[in-house]
Structures are given as structure tokens and as C-alpha cells.
Amino acid sequence: MMYAKKPCTRCLLEEAGRQDLSEAVRAAVEKIPSDKRAEDAEYKRRLDICGDCEHLLQGTCLKCGCYSELRAARRDSHCPLKSRKW
């Protein structure tokens, strides 16, 4: 008997099997002006931290309701937790 692979719940959008949202969020990130967008290394660092966070559910931050990939992309943004993981 074959079982379908369950989507990852503690992952970012693409890893969670949310291709539709992943593409929309990626398009929104690309629309952020370069002077307001986090540098690639910082963006990746932030997403790595989000990926390990207990408040991440299928790409959504349960603390603020945002898509983590979009929040992490803005240079002036920060983690919504009181302790600010990034």
C-alpha cells in the first residue's frame, strides 16, 4: 500500500508543499525595492532561524500571521517574538 507523503508542517512554504503560495510570496519578495530588501545572506540566515522556530506552521509565523519568507525579505523587518530571534 502506498501512502502519500504528508506535507511538512514546520517548514517554509515550498517545503510544506504550498507551491501556489510559494510562487506568490516569491513574486512579492521580488517586488520589494532592492534598497529595502535584505541581502541574500541575511535573508537565508533569517529563514534558517524561522525554519527552526516552534512558531512556524507551513510557512506562516503563528505569532504574527505573516509568511516568514516575506517578512524575512524586508531589510527593516524583525522577528515578531519578544526575544527577536533575528
Side-chain angles (χ1 to χ4, degrees):
M1 178 183 272
M2 296 286 292
Y3 292 98
K5 184 178 177 184
K6 290 176 75 174
C8 178
T9 56
R10 296 279 182 223
C11 297
L12 299 169
L13 289 171
E14 189 170 334
E15 298 160 331
R18 302 296 313 265
Q19 275 312 110
D20 54 336
L21 283 174
S22 179
E23 291 172 15
V25 168
R26 192 175 308 121
V29 167
E30 289 175 9
K31 288 181 181 178
I32 297 171
S34 60
D35 63 322
K36 296 186 190 280
R37 194 177 322 146
E39 292 184 20
D40 290 343
E42 177 63 9
Y43 181 61
K44 183 182 178 337
R45 185 187 77 80
R46 291 174 177 187
L47 292 182
D48 287 344
I49 293 169
C50 289
D52 289 335
C53 183
E54 66 276 9
H55 301 290
L56 181 68
L57 180 64
Q58 293 185 351
T60 302
C61 174
L62 297 177
K63 283 299 185 179
C64 69
C66 74
Y67 293 117
S68 297
E69 286 108 324
L70 190 54
R71 184 181 197 100
R74 294 197 54 88
R75 181 178 295 203
D76 62 351
S77 192
H78 58 80
C79 170
L81 295 176
K82 202 173 201 177
S83 62
R84 289 191 180 180
K85 294 185 176 188
W86 52 263

